[in-house]
Every structure is written in structure tokens, then in C-alpha cells.
Amino acid sequence: MTYSIIGILATILLLIGNRDVLRKQRESEYSRTRLYYRRFLLGVLVYYITDMLWGLLDEQRLTSLQFIDTTVYFVAMIATVVLWARYVVSYLNRKNFFEKWLLRTGQAIFGVFLIFIVINFFYPVFFWFDDQGVYHTAFMRHAALLVQIAMFLSTSIYTFYMTAKTQGDIRQRHLTIGLFGLAMVVMIAFQVFFPLWPFYAMGCMIGITLLHSFVLEDETEEYRRELERSREALKEALAAAEKASKAKTVFLSNMSHEIRTPLNAIIGLNSIAMNDADLSQTTREHLQKIGTSAQHLLGVINDILDISRIESGSMSLKNAEFSFVQELEQVNAIVTAQCHDKKIRYSCDVKDGVSNCYIGDEMKLRQVLINILGNAVKFTPEGGSVSLVVEALAVDGEKCPLRFTVVDSGIGIGKDFMPRMFEAFALEDESYTSKHGSTGLGLSITKSIVELMDGRIDVESEKGVGSKFTVTVTLQKSPHNGGGLCSSGGQREKPRATLSGRKVLLAEDLPVNAEIMAMVLSMREMKAERAENGRIAVEMFKSHEPGYYSAILMDVRMPEMDGLEATRVIRSMDREDAKSIPIIALTANAFDEDVQNSLQAGLNAHLSKPVEPDVLFKTLEELL
């Protein structure tokens, strides 16, 4: 019964002490080594079970079952030393000639002994039981033990050799592995001379416990520390990426401001010059080309800012009620003018079921439609046609999906280019850049906006025939679709104030921009009084009686005091017009967050430079 008692005890210790190893691990360098150790433990576990059963079967004199149990015992014994060698090789991970030799030798030995174990069923080369059920050993049994001694000794010597090249905690773990091999050599040697004593099982039981304590647990702790270092490195990398993203946003914001500032002067002075009745036709044509080029440059800047916001994940949608009818009229006005210049037929068909009002982001929707219709006009030759069809799809609760179908008879898109047509800066033909002024950003931006609006874009096109773009976006139902007016104004025009004779406080640090704005305001018989920075603007407002200024046009970036701070100071003044006077931001800051910052500071509107005179006048008329 000694075998059974030792087997039961060893099995319990192995299962309890190594439960963390026996559980399934994720595939990694760390877990692959544990995988081989787990296989070694399973081999030892089978060996323990045969020991446990051997004592019970011997007690009951069940010789036939004892023969099978002993056969499994020898298979497990030989397999265990081979699995141990595989674990040591994986743990040391040196990948040299000796490791390859050790593995191949172990596999060959296992194969040879399996053959002799099969032969043992017919002729006793390993062991046999006599008629009284007494166990006897044969020469192959001793050979198997000697081979195991050689294998354990080889792995120990090799481990000690590698230990001499290591230091610290790794050196201690290598030393423990090597000592386990030497301990097994001693135990197997005892087993040779005392076959009925479970020295082998006792050696494995004690050795595996030590291995778990001094190797596995220490290795696990080191792995946890490495994971913690990796997490810290990832946190630092994330922080660095976020910092880089913020730096990129700041850079683009600064560059946008620096580019828009002179561009404002170019477009403003060009617009003023175009109003000169004494211009010659040649000069007027030159100014028109200057204006067109400046507007193209402005479009490129806007596209770069949009693609930057998309890449950084900072582009968001507003959620406000708007008049879809008015929005579509504005889009049609722009596209009709473009088609008229190119002598292209344009039609817009709004199907039944489309409501007057929706809730969503009207500016982004307009950008999507103008981008797609603009491309259709751009790539359709003279005499061609462009059409827009608007349909309302099935309403799902509060969601209102709309489908816009744009068909043109233009140059079409090649099949090879279709898969990458929505990639940033993608151009089917590089000559488009010089011929049509394309940057390759419009469709990429459009697709991103459509996806933000819970929609999709489908394209059908044939080279030389034309293209069909189908855009589906999801808006929300408006409470005013039953006949009321949209909260944004609906179809009823808001009362407009008279601008003539009004005084405006203009806070602008650059003289040329101030001069341009004064000339623009004079077009509607308004007078501008300039403040060179925010501090002076505050003092000028404070020094005049209430009602002296009808509105304040506030630049945001100014020396001494910026426009946002100046607005906060004005709004906090204890006078009757401080809270009510319209303050409009005229700035080169064009990011969405810049608009939010302006509104939060107390400004009534945010107009990005270069400002269109008509937009400025309309804003003033509505706010006054």
C-alpha cells in the first residue's frame, strides 16, 4: 500500500500546488514555456496515478490489470523525462546545437522504448508477473532507468553551464532547475536497486513543489512586473500621443490663423476693388482670377482643418432644428450658379414625404451636398447634366433617414480607383490637381461626415459615361412638421434692422484688416471706430454712454488682452447695454472649439475670416 499512499499524497500536492499552471494560458512566449511545463506535470500526474493504482491492484492480486497499469507506468516514466527536457530547452531558449540534439535524442529514445514496451506484451523485456502474481524486472527496465539518469544529468549539466552566464533572479531559477535534475538522478539510482520503493515518485513530489516555489512563482512575479512596466509604457505612449495630437491641433489652429489673416486682406481688398466702377475690363478680369485663386486657397485650408479634426476624432455634430427647405434652396443657388457658368443643365427633384424641418447639423449636411454636387459639376463637361433627387425613407421612431441621389454625365470613375476613392489625398489622375484644382480631400471628408450622421455613401460609375452617388443620412424628427415654423425661422424672414448710420466698435490689432473692415462697413453707411487691442476696446466701450455703439466686432487674438477676455469684462460691467450689445467675433480661428469658446465667453456670433460682407451684414441686421 506504500505506492498507493505516496501516489495519493503526490497527486493531491501536484493538483493543489500547481493549479495555476494546469489552467489554460494565453498563447505567448511566457505561456508557451508554461505549456511545456504543464505537459511535464501531466506526465508526472499519470505516473502518480499508476503508482496509486499499483498498490491497490497488488493488494487485490489483480495481475492482469496490474500488468496494464505497470505498462502505462513505464510509458509515463519515459515520456516524463522527454517532456522535462523539452521544458528545459524552452525555458533556456538558447536555440543551439545541444538543445536540438537533446530534443531529438529524447524523441528517439521515447520511440525506441515504446517499441520494447509493445514487445513486452509478447516477451518479457521490461517486466513480468509470475503465477503467484509476484513482480519481476527485466533488463530493459534497468536500461530505461539508466537512460533517464543520462537525460536528467544532461539537462542539469547544460542548465548549470547556462547558469554561469546569468545573474540575479534568473540565475537562482536556473540553479533550481539544475538541482531538480540532479535530485532526480539520485532518486532514479535508488529506484534501480529498490524497484518496489517509490523513490521516483517521492523525488518528483518534492522537486515539483520546490520548482513551483522557486521558479514558477518567481517567474510569475517577474512577468507581472513586466506587465506593469508595459502598462506604464503604454500610458506614457498614450500621454505622448495625446500631447502630440494637442500640439498638432494648436499648430493647425495657429497656421490657420496666420494664413487666414493675410488671406482676409487679399479677399477683402479684392472685393472692394471689384466695386470700383472705373476699373478697366482687363483689370477686372485680373481681379476675378485673384479672387478665384484666393477662394480656392481658402477651400484648401478648410479641407486640411476638417481632415485634421476627423483624424483626431474631434469633429462633432450639432443637434439643432433647422429649415430643410431653406437649406436646400441655398445649396441649389450655389450649384445653379456653378452650372450656369459651365453651361450645364441642373435639376432638383424633392419627392413627397420630405418634411420642412428636421433636427441635425445643417452646416455639415450642406457641406456634404455641396462637396458631392460640386464634384459632379467640376467633372462634367459643357453641355452635360447634373441632377439631385431627395427622398424620405421609412421613418423609424424619432429617426428620419433621407436619401440624396446625385447623377451626372461627367467623365466617370475608373474601376481600379473606386476602392480608394474615399482615401485622403487620393486622386485618380494627378493632372486633376492642375486642371480642376482638386486636393483629394473632399470625398474623404464627406464620407466621414456622412458616417457621423449615421449614414453611408454608395457609388456607381462608368468611365466616360458618368457617376451616381447615393447618400443616406439620418436626421431627427422635428416637432414643427405638423405645419408650424421651424425654431430656426422656418420660411418666415426675421425682421431686419437698418444698418445705415450705426456706429461699430472694431477691435482689430492689424491696421490693414481694420482698414478693410471699415471700408466694408462704409458700403452700408456704417462708421467704425478702431481699438488696437482688447484692453483699449474695453476702455472705449466704458468711456462712451450706453447706446453709443450699436455693435462690437471683436478679433479674438490680440495683444495685451484677447477678444474673449475683453468680451467677459464688457459683459460683467454694471451698465444697461453691457449684456445686450451684440458682440460678433471676426477671427481667423476657425475650429469648432473656437466657436464654442466664443459663445461661452458671451459673444453672440462667430464669423471666420475672411468674412463675406453679405454674411456680416445679415448677422448685424438680425442681432440689432
Side-chain angles (χ1 to χ4, degrees):
M1 290 297 292
T2 305
Y3 264 98
S4 294
I5 294 172
I6 296 297
I8 293 171
L9 181 60
T11 300
I12 293 172
L13 287 176
L14 187 147
L15 292 175
I16 295 176
N18 294 275
R19 62 187 182 279
D20 56 331
V21 183
L22 294 172
R23 287 196 297 264
K24 187 176 180 180
Q25 303 286 327
R26 293 190 302 268
E27 289 299 324
S28 65
E29 286 294 328
Y30 171 71
S31 62
R32 273 203 296 271
T33 302
R34 284 205 164 192
L35 174 64
Y36 295 127
Y37 186 69
R38 191 188 313 124
R39 291 175 181 174
F40 165 71
L41 290 180
L42 292 174
V44 174
L45 184 61
V46 173
Y47 177 85
Y48 286 165
I49 293 172
T50 60
D51 268 3
M52 180 174 60
L53 292 175
W54 200 92
L56 296 173
L57 296 173
D58 183 59
E59 186 74 17
Q60 300 298 320
R61 296 298 178 180
L62 300 174
T63 308
S64 298
L65 293 177
Q66 204 169 2
F67 183 90
I68 296 173
D69 180 74
T70 307
T71 301
V72 175
Y73 164 89
F74 278 108
V75 173
M77 180 186 288
I78 299 167
T80 297
V81 71
V82 176
L83 291 171
W84 171 254
R86 185 69 191 87
Y87 164 70
V88 172
V89 167
S90 176
Y91 191 90
L92 297 176
N93 195 30
R94 300 296 179 175
K95 298 180 181 179
N96 53 32
F97 171 77
F98 182 80
E99 288 189 351
K100 294 179 182 178
W101 174 87
L102 193 62
L103 291 177
R104 291 173 182 172
T105 301
Q107 293 167 355
I109 290 172
F110 183 71
V112 170
F113 278 104
L114 275 182
I115 294 173
F116 282 104
I117 287 172
V118 173
I119 293 173
N120 193 72
F121 282 95
F122 307 99
Y123 185 81
V125 294
F126 260 99
F127 65 92
W128 79 92
F129 291 89
D130 59 21
D131 295 337
Q132 285 74 37
V134 178
Y135 173 73
H136 298 276
T137 60
F139 70 96
M140 286 307 299
R141 180 259 182 186
H142 303 295
L145 292 176
L146 291 174
V147 166
Q148 289 184 78
I149 290 173
M151 289 291 290
F152 274 116
L153 187 61
S154 298
T155 56
S156 293
I157 293 173
Y158 177 57
T159 304
F160 286 141
Y161 172 72
M162 291 302 174
T163 301
K165 298 182 178 182
T166 59
Q167 56 186 350
D169 293 339
I170 297 177
R171 182 186 183 91
Q172 178 183 319
R173 294 200 294 268
H174 285 185
L175 188 62
T176 304
I177 292 172
L179 290 174
F180 172 79
L182 287 183
M184 289 306 297
V185 168
V186 175
M187 290 297 180
I188 295 172
F190 279 115
Q191 193 79 49
V192 172
F193 299 104
F194 303 98
L196 297 180
W197 284 87
F199 289 107
Y200 193 97
M202 288 188 291
C204 286
M205 180 174 61
I206 298 171
I208 288 173
T209 303
L210 293 175
L211 281 172
H212 190 277
S213 298
F214 292 98
V215 178
L216 272 297
E217 288 187 0
D218 189 55
E219 185 184 42
T220 301
E221 183 58 32
E222 182 178 313
Y223 183 65
R224 287 170 182 163
R225 290 196 298 268
E226 184 62 33
L227 280 179
E228 189 60 33
R229 287 193 292 268
S230 298
R231 289 192 189 98
E232 290 300 321
L234 286 174
K235 288 180 181 178
E236 291 177 3
L238 178 61
E242 290 176 347
K243 185 178 180 181
S245 178
K246 290 179 180 177
K248 177 183 175 183
T249 301
V250 171
F251 170 77
L252 287 172
S253 179
N254 290 336
M255 289 304 297
S256 168
H257 184 275
E258 294 304 317
I259 295 174
R260 283 173 180 271
T261 297
L263 195 58
N264 177 62
I266 294 171
I267 294 177
L269 290 172
N270 185 78
S271 176
I272 292 169
M274 288 284 291
N275 289 324
D276 188 350
D278 297 331
L279 277 181
S280 67
Q281 184 60 31
T282 301
T283 303
R284 187 174 297 277
E285 290 175 358
H286 292 335
L287 289 174
Q288 286 176 344
K289 291 177 181 178
I290 291 173
T292 301
S293 298
Q295 290 294 339
H296 174 64
L297 178 58
L298 180 61
V300 172
I301 294 170
N302 291 335
D303 285 347
I304 292 174
L305 291 176
D306 280 341
I307 204 71
S308 173
R309 284 196 288 265
I310 291 168
E311 289 178 352
S312 64
S314 59
M315 177 172 279
S316 59
L317 297 178
K318 291 187 293 186
N319 204 31
E321 189 179 35
F322 67 95
S323 170
F324 180 76
V325 174
Q326 287 186 353
E327 194 66 28
L328 194 58
E329 286 177 355
Q330 293 178 18
V331 171
N332 285 337
I334 294 171
V335 177
T336 300
Q338 293 175 348
C339 289
H340 180 268
D341 292 340
K342 288 192 68 175
K343 298 180 181 179
I344 296 172
R345 297 185 304 278
Y346 174 67
S347 64
C348 177
D349 182 16
V350 181
K351 302 292 185 181
D352 293 338
V354 177
S355 301
N356 291 333
C357 303
Y358 289 100
I359 296 176
D361 193 324
E362 58 179 316
M363 297 295 291
K364 293 293 191 296
L365 179 60
R366 184 192 309 168
Q367 185 176 356
V368 167
L369 294 177
I370 289 177
N371 274 350
I372 294 179
L373 287 167
N375 276 347
V377 174
K378 184 188 298 183
F379 297 112
T380 298
E382 182 179 327
S385 64
V386 174
S387 66
L388 169 64
V389 177
V390 185
E391 302 171 87
L393 304 181
V395 177
D396 181 14
E398 293 299 314
K399 295 183 178 180
C400 300
L402 294 180
R403 182 167 61 203
F404 302 87
T405 305
V406 177
V407 180
D408 66 67
S409 60
I411 60 177
I413 304 168
K415 292 182 178 179
D416 294 339
F417 182 67
M418 292 276 282
R420 56 188 184 89
M421 63 184 298
F422 292 108
E423 296 177 4
F425 303 104
L427 293 172
E428 184 175 12
D429 188 342
E430 296 296 333
S431 63
Y432 289 168
T433 302
S434 56
K435 187 176 180 180
H436 299 286
S438 179
T439 61
L441 289 175
L443 286 179
S444 177
I445 294 168
T446 299
K447 184 174 185 292
S448 297
I449 294 175
V450 169
E451 289 175 349
L452 277 176
M453 301 178 78
D454 195 19
R456 57 176 293 173
I457 299 181
D458 296 309
V459 184
E460 299 174 23
S461 186
E462 185 177 346
K463 201 71 174 173
V465 177
S467 302
K468 176 182 178 181
F469 282 75
T470 304
V471 180
T472 304
V473 299
T474 303
L475 302 175
Q476 293 184 32
K477 186 185 297 183
S478 167
H480 296 100
N481 283 331
L485 299 178
C486 300
S487 59
S488 62
Q491 293 81 13
R492 183 185 297 168
E493 281 288 331
K494 289 184 177 180
R496 298 290 184 89
T498 302
L499 301 182
S500 178
R502 303 269 189 170
K503 287 188 178 66
V504 174
L505 175 58
L506 175 62
E508 173 62 66
D509 59 321
L510 295 180
V512 63
N513 284 344
E515 181 182 352
I516 292 170
M517 190 53 59
M519 296 173 68
V520 169
L521 292 172
S522 66
M523 294 167 59
R524 297 294 292 270
E525 299 180 357
M526 300 179 72
K527 183 179 179 181
E529 295 185 4
R530 181 194 172 203
E532 288 80 4
N533 56 57
R535 182 183 57 79
I536 297 176
V538 170
E539 293 175 354
M540 289 178 64
F541 178 79
K542 186 177 181 180
S543 63
H544 290 86
E545 68 277 5
Y548 180 81
Y549 294 115
S550 298
I552 301 175
L553 302 182
M554 185 77 74
D555 190 13
V556 172
R557 295 193 183 187
M558 293 183 291
E560 296 194 39
M561 181 183 289
D562 63 36
L564 300 182
E565 183 60 28
T567 300
R568 293 189 188 98
V569 174
I570 291 173
R571 293 300 190 199
S572 65
M573 289 182 182
D574 187 18
R575 50 184 285 174
E576 59 184 83
D577 62 342
K579 300 288 191 298
S580 60
I581 186 170
I583 305 179
I584 303 170
L586 299 184
T587 175
N589 296 349
F591 280 101
D592 289 340
E593 52 266 34
D594 295 321
V595 178
Q596 293 300 318
N597 291 337
S598 294
L599 298 179
Q600 290 171 7
L603 287 103
N604 300 93
H606 182 105
L607 302 181
S608 298
K609 295 177 181 178
V611 179
E612 293 288 339
D614 290 341
V615 175
L616 173 62
F617 295 146
K618 180 181 177 182
T619 303
L620 285 169
E621 287 170 345
E622 290 178 349
L623 291 176
L624 290 175

